[in-house]
Every structure is written in structure tokens, then in C-alpha cells.
Amino acid sequence: MKLLLDTANIKEIQEWYLYLRGEVHGVTTNPLLLHEAGIKSVDGKIKLIKQISEIDDRMDVFFQCTEENHIYELNDIWQGLNKKINLVAKVTMDLDHMHLFKIAEGRKGIKRAATTCYDLVQIHQAGEMDLDYTMVYYAKNDVKTLMQDAVKMKNDYCYDINLVAASFRTKNDYIDAIKSGIDMATVRPEHLNVIFKNNNVEADVKMLEEYM
């Protein structure tokens, strides 16, 4: 299972990429995360993308798109960048925003991701639309079999789409995702500290250090 770091803080991205090098597939942002990182302009987004590209230019970088101009903005940004990196337009899977997927379709360097997917109908629609990614909302969802159901549906229908579990809070969430066979997961850096903590390992290390 690959990870999408849910942050716009370049120091956090650098730190966790080094820790989890082979697992990190990309970075996913939203307007709140960009604001927290002090990114308030197109130039700020370009700087962030370039910094991520210097870490690994194969990563995908996700940005929320709520109107047509946001798609065109991503397209313009990509035109002036290292062409290896991909930008991903995150679009809410609802009737008011689904037309944006069509606008983003076929644009070189721009991938498409469905967000706010809380049920199998939305995820099915993302597969039928041949999107690159769909989020599978888990932590805020009462349907705790949604990840397994989404994986089964992807396999049954042979969809070429990345299923992304969003968004983990606990180690048990992470374990559930691994067991489900889902493709990816979005995780905030502060939750990674919890997910990768193991009290038994820490006790073993402490014991070994006493005899070194």
C-alpha cells in the first residue's frame, strides 16, 4: 500500500519521504493545508511543486479544484514545470462539480481524482468515468466495509483506478487498510507518528541500549 502525505509543509514532506522512501507515492493538499503552510498564491503552489520535484519528480501532487479556472491554473503551472511530475485535480464527486472531470480530461500532466466519496455508488461512478484516483472515505464513515467493497468492485469491473483510503487517524485504521488490499492511503504526518509507534519495539531498543 502506497502513501499520499496529507500536508503542504515541505519539511514534513522531506522528513517522511526519507523515512518511508519506497512507500510515498505523492502529496495531497487542500485549501486548509495550503493556508497552514502559508501558501496563498499561484507562485506559492509553483514553489511547493518544485520543492517536491527536487525530492522525487515521480510523485503526484494533488490540488483541490472547485471551478473551471482551477483546472486551467493547474494546466498552466504544469506547462512551466519539470514534465516528469504529475499534478492531480481533486474534484468533489457530486452533481455540481462532476463537469470539471470532463474539462480536465486529456490534459497532459494532469490526472483526475474524485474526493468526498462516502459510498460505493460514488466510487463506482469514478471507475466508470475512467478517473485516475478515487478517495474512499473511511475514518468519517459508518460503513466500515467500504474499503473491502471498493477493492472487490474494482477487481470485478476491472477498473484501472487507484483506490485511496482517506483519511486515517489510528494504527487500527492503517491495519484495516492493509488487510483490505486497497491501493493507497492519505495520512497526515502527525498520525504517522502514531501509526508507526510500537511499544514492544521501543522496550526492546531500550533494553539493548542498556547493554551497549
Side-chain angles (χ1 to χ4, degrees):
M1 183 177 71
K2 299 295 185 181
L3 296 179
L4 298 173
L5 299 178
D6 203 12
T7 180
N9 184 308
I10 193 62
K11 290 183 179 179
E12 291 179 337
I13 296 167
Q14 289 170 329
E15 177 184 10
W16 283 103
Y17 180 85
L18 289 174
Y19 285 150
L20 306 170
R21 187 180 300 270
E23 292 184 62
V24 177
H25 178 80
V27 174
T28 180
T29 72
N30 60 43
L32 176 59
L33 293 176
L34 291 171
H35 178 78
E36 289 175 349
I39 298 171
K40 302 176 181 178
S41 65
V42 173
D43 288 342
K45 291 179 181 178
I46 293 172
K47 181 180 178 181
L48 174 65
I49 296 164
K50 287 182 175 178
Q51 289 174 323
I52 293 171
S53 181
E54 289 172 0
I55 297 170
D56 187 339
D57 61 10
R58 298 165 299 176
M59 286 200 279
D60 287 356
V61 186
F62 293 63
F63 292 95
Q64 189 72 42
C65 295
T66 58
E67 56 187 53
E68 293 182 22
N69 286 340
H70 295 157
I71 304 290
Y72 302 140
E73 178 185 282
L74 284 187
N75 189 70
D76 290 343
I77 289 174
W78 186 84
Q79 294 295 330
L81 290 174
N82 178 335
K83 297 302 190 294
K84 288 185 181 180
I85 202 163
N86 287 299
L87 305 182
V88 184
K90 292 169 56 179
V91 176
T92 302
M93 181 55 88
D94 65 7
L95 296 177
D96 292 330
H97 296 93
M98 281 168 51
H99 69 283
L100 297 178
F101 291 125
K102 188 65 177 177
I103 294 171
E105 185 178 9
R107 294 182 182 271
K108 192 173 181 181
I110 307 296
K111 294 182 178 180
R112 301 175 299 162
T115 65
T116 61
C117 294
Y118 287 94
D119 62 48
L120 209 57
V121 173
Q122 292 175 297
I123 297 166
H124 175 264
Q125 185 66 20
E128 289 295 322
M129 295 176 72
D130 200 26
L131 303 184
D132 299 286
Y133 299 90
T134 182
M135 303 300 167
V136 180
Y137 274 55
Y138 178 73
K140 298 187 289 184
N141 201 325
D142 293 332
V143 183
K144 294 306 179 186
T145 62
L146 187 60
M147 287 190 294
Q148 292 92 328
D149 295 342
V151 170
K152 184 179 185 304
M153 182 176 66
K154 173 183 172 176
N155 294 334
D156 288 347
Y157 283 81
C158 299
Y159 288 144
D160 185 19
I161 190 170
N162 290 296
L163 301 175
V164 184
S167 172
F168 295 154
R169 303 291 190 275
T170 69
K171 188 164 189 168
N172 284 337
D173 291 344
Y174 191 86
I175 292 170
D176 287 345
I178 293 172
K179 291 164 66 177
S180 77
I182 205 159
D183 301 307
M184 301 179 186
T186 68
V187 189
R188 291 292 299 267
E190 59 265 31
H191 296 138
L192 283 168
N193 285 308
V194 175
I195 288 168
F196 288 99
K197 181 181 177 66
N198 187 298
N199 292 331
N200 290 328
V201 173
E202 291 182 0
D204 287 349
V205 170
K206 185 177 180 180
M207 181 186 68
L208 290 170
E209 289 175 345
E210 290 177 358
Y211 292 95
M212 293 297 288

